[in-house]
Amino acid sequence: NAGVTQTPKFQVLKTGQSMTLQCAQDMNHNSMYWYRQDPGMGLRLIYYSASEGTTDKGEVPNGYNVSRLNKREFSLRLESAAPSQTSVYFCASTMPARAFQETQYFGPGTRLLVL
Amino acid sequence: ILNVEQSPQSLHVQEGDSTNFTCSFPSSNFYALHWYRWETAKSPEALFVMTLNGDEKKKGRISATLNTKEGYSYLYIKGSQPEDSATYLCASLNAGNNRKLIWGLGTSLAVNP
């Protein structure tokens, strides 16, 4: 049982390049999330998917797109990377048990550097 | 966006000391308060999810209390050990956020041996 996995672990991009961050979970969770974490700032939600087939914007969606490929996989795409997108990206998933008691299970993170 | 605040920002204690820190969150339309432990170079791991006013939860030497009327939660660590060194995050779930947690910035704890 791997939990939440993310690839790649680390990536360097040049400004304007595109890339897709992959996330997969094997816990049969319904909801999946993409966060970014920057020094001096809390975890900020980029996009989330409450269930397969749905996606919604979070706090900081600009410059990103997502795809909920199936129940297991939720990818984050940077179409034209900018230095401001240098960050650590975390994917998380939850299985709503009782309403609003949703422990988030996090992946190991992807460190992205945009030059 | 509702704010969640944690204090202190950082804390240095000696091994064996007991310590506590605070999470302040919006008390209106409150649903749940989460505590996570985040070690350097790892990902956040859940400690507690608390929903009821007066709730108290315990996991080993770590415990937490919840006051939903005034909007605060305390996290206590009894007899701190070096392996407790981590950032402790809290996050609040309130109505209107569509099941999105609002995260605090964390309290960074360093336990010196």
Side-chain angles (χ1 to χ4, degrees):
Chain A
N1 189 341
V4 181
T5 57
Q6 291 182 234
T7 56
K9 285 187 168 52
F10 181 72
Q11 184 72 45
V12 179
L13 292 178
K14 293 181 180 177
T15 296
Q17 287 185 315
S18 62
M19 80 162 293
T20 300
L21 282 65
Q22 306 286 354
C23 174
Q25 51 87 14
D26 62 2
M27 296 175 282
N28 201 34
H29 284 175
N30 288 340
S31 303
M32 297 184 74
Y33 309 79
W34 276 105
Y35 291 96
R36 60 179 289 173
Q37 196 267 327
D38 302 292
M41 308 192 79
L43 286 165
R44 292 185 293 170
L45 184 66
I46 305 171
Y47 270 94
Y48 69 102
S49 171
S51 60
E52 186 179 356
T54 68
T55 61
D56 284 287
K57 295 178 180 179
E59 297 173 61
V60 288
N62 291 345
Y64 305 95
N65 285 302
V66 290
S67 295
R68 184 74 183 267
L69 304 169
N70 47 57
K71 192 171 185 179
R72 290 188 64 248
E73 298 173 287
F74 188 38
S75 63
L76 178 72
R77 182 159 179 84
L78 287 71
E79 291 291 351
S80 178
S84 60
Q85 293 179 303
T86 294
S87 187
V88 182
Y89 292 85
F90 287 97
C91 177
S93 68
T94 63
M95 169 60 90
R98 287 174 288 178
F100 309 114
Q101 292 185 27
E102 302 176 348
T103 297
Q104 301 225 332
Y105 294 85
F106 285 84
T110 294
R111 293 184 176 273
L112 177 65
L113 174 62
V114 183
L115 301 175
Chain B
I1 299 285
L2 305 170
N3 286 327
V4 172
E5 297 181 355
Q6 293 187 246
S7 62
Q9 185 176 352
S10 64
L11 199 53
H12 293 255
V13 301
Q14 291 298 124
E15 183 175 356
D17 288 349
S18 293
T19 186
N20 66 85
F21 20 93
T22 306
C23 173
S24 300
F25 56 89
S27 57
S28 60
N29 300 311
F30 170 82
Y31 283 120
L33 192 283
H34 293 227
W35 280 102
Y36 289 80
R37 181 171 178 274
W38 193 355
E39 287 182 73
T40 302
K42 294 188 178 180
S43 50
E45 291 183 351
L47 288 172
F48 308 114
V49 178
M50 309 172 77
T51 58
L52 300 176
N53 186 45
D55 207 2
E56 182 170 345
K57 298 216 171 182
K58 190 174 181 181
K59 189 174 186 177
R61 293 178 291 98
I62 303 176
S63 60
T65 61
L66 181 67
N67 182 323
T68 62
K69 294 185 189 305
E70 296 181 44
Y72 65 84
S73 175
Y74 293 135
L75 189 80
Y76 300 92
I77 301 178
K78 184 177 179 181
S80 303
Q81 300 296 308
E83 58 264 31
D84 295 328
S85 297
T87 296
Y88 292 83
L89 296 174
C90 69
S92 176
L93 191 65
N94 297 68
N97 286 340
N98 194 24
R99 292 192 173 188
K100 293 175 288 185
L101 293 172
I102 303 300
W103 296 84
L105 297 182
T107 292
S108 176
L109 174 66
V111 182
N112 300 317

